[in-house]
Amino acid sequence: MPNKKIIIANWKMNLSLGETKVLAKKFVKKFTGFKDGEVAICPTTIALSEVAKILKDGRLKFGAQNVFWEDNGSYTGETSISSLLEIGCQYVILGHSERRAYLLENYEMIHKKVMAVIKTEKLTPVVCIGESWKERETDRRDFVLVEQLWQALSGVNVFGSQRIVIAYEPIWAIGTGTAIRPDEAEYAHKIIKLALNDMFGMQVVSNNFRIIYGGSINPKNVKGFTDLENMDGLLVGGASLKVDDFYKVVKEITK
Ligand code: 13P
């Protein structure tokens, strides 16, 4: 049986706590009875425990947009893995290009976070990689993707049923309204899969890894992404802020 598609709503820092609660409630209502895919919501850190209460029946999952690699101590402003687990978080986005751009998060930090998250076996990291426009223009895309995978995942041991999601998010496609062409996404996902096979072996990759796409996905363009061989799901920003649009995206990709 094919794996269920994973569709993650990244709400970024777009909503207040109150707006987040309203939207989360709309999601619960809209997704009543939905069971074709795995859907997760990633609100801001401050909203996580409220969202946890709203999603308490467990049909929709939720995740954080970041976490720190140490579990406790003098790390002002950070959030620990154990506190995410305490409220029932199942996913955590790591190394989003916006954090790399605005918070100077680098691959050493992302690697530490991946290592720490993997140890728990209970939280699925969503590791974001993707090339800039310049890297694409100069034909360095494949190299950049493989390099980012190595930086984030080298030395990582994957145990048992631990899942790792790789989110391919070309930086130039995020928030621009222009998604990548589906055949190009398929090509990039294939490159990612081959690199992962080199690192972890085919069996582990097929059991434990999923590769999803993010960047300007909306109800109009999602159709082209539905039947791609190496497309395990989507990471959706803007279109996840409107419940009807997001629902259409989810329905289409899980067809
Ligand atoms: P958009 O869907 O708004 O382009 O955002 C994608 C993204 O960055 C998800 O993490």
Side-chain angles (χ1 to χ4, degrees):
M1 218 175 71
N3 290 311
K4 276 190 174 180
K5 295 258 171 75
I6 300 169
I7 308 95
I8 301 175
N10 180 5
W11 288 351
K12 308 191 180 183
M13 204 184 71
N14 284 303
L15 305 170
S16 68
L17 179 56
E19 289 164 343
T20 302
K21 284 160 65 175
V22 170
L23 189 57
K25 283 177 192 158
K26 285 186 185 164
F27 267 54
V28 169
K29 208 165 161 206
K30 191 82 190 180
F31 282 89
T32 304
F34 175 81
K35 49 182 174 340
D36 298 330
E38 190 165 325
V39 175
I41 298 171
C42 296
T44 54
T45 308
I46 201 163
L48 275 168
S49 56
E50 289 296 330
V51 167
K53 285 182 215 153
I54 294 166
L55 307 184
K56 62 182 179 307
D57 73 3
R59 196 165 0 88
L60 296 174
K61 321 270 183 219
F62 63 96
Q65 298 175 14
N66 180 39
V67 77
F68 194 57
W69 57 82
E70 296 291 349
D71 207 47
N72 158 292
S74 304
Y75 305 104
T76 303
E78 294 299 324
T79 307
S80 69
I81 292 170
S82 53
S83 53
L84 295 186
L85 290 173
E86 210 176 328
I87 57 162
C89 244
Q90 277 136 331
Y91 286 93
V92 59
I93 298 173
L94 298 179
H96 194 283
S97 58
E98 286 152 10
R99 293 193 59 81
R100 285 188 270 138
Y102 301 121
L103 292 141
L104 306 186
E105 201 168 295
N106 61 32
Y107 271 95
E108 191 186 334
M109 295 154 84
I110 297 163
H111 182 248
K112 282 185 179 169
K113 293 179 183 193
V114 176
M115 294 293 259
V117 168
I118 289 291
K119 269 196 217 135
T120 71
E121 284 190 63
K122 289 188 189 134
L123 204 52
T124 300
V126 180
V127 182
C128 300
I129 62 170
E131 81 284 359
S132 66
W133 181 258
K134 191 157 169 237
E135 287 159 344
R136 175 188 153 100
E137 287 258 281
T138 50
D139 241 359
R140 292 181 69 244
R141 192 234 340 239
D142 299 3
F143 171 78
V144 168
L145 295 182
V146 174
E147 168 77 6
Q148 289 180 349
L149 285 174
W150 273 100
Q151 295 269 0
L153 299 176
S154 58
V156 167
N157 285 316
V158 186
F159 300 104
S161 58
Q162 172 71 57
R163 281 193 314 177
I164 301 183
V165 175
I166 305 297
Y168 170 53
E169 296 210 304
I171 297 168
W172 53 270
I174 296 175
T176 58
T178 308
I180 198 169
R181 277 203 336 256
D183 61 313
E184 275 198 73
E186 173 62 20
Y187 172 79
H189 284 211
K190 186 90 201 181
I191 296 288
I192 292 167
K193 193 164 194 178
L194 292 173
L196 290 172
N197 284 347
D198 269 355
M199 295 173 80
F200 297 97
M202 275 167 69
Q203 198 61 45
V204 169
V205 174
S206 121
N207 290 342
N208 301 73
F209 281 85
R210 301 287 176 267
I211 308 171
I212 67 176
Y213 168 79
S216 292
I217 284 291
N218 61 42
K220 288 203 186 85
N221 61 22
V222 62
K223 214 175 177 55
F225 294 82
T226 303
D227 293 322
L228 303 177
E229 192 188 333
N230 292 296
M231 180 64 61
D232 300 319
L234 298 168
L235 181 54
V236 186
S240 73
L241 296 167
K242 295 195 185 110
V243 67
D244 291 338
D245 282 0
F246 185 69
Y247 189 73
K248 281 183 201 152
V249 165
V250 171
K251 284 304 267 185
E252 187 60 45
I253 199 77
T254 52
K255 259 185 186 166

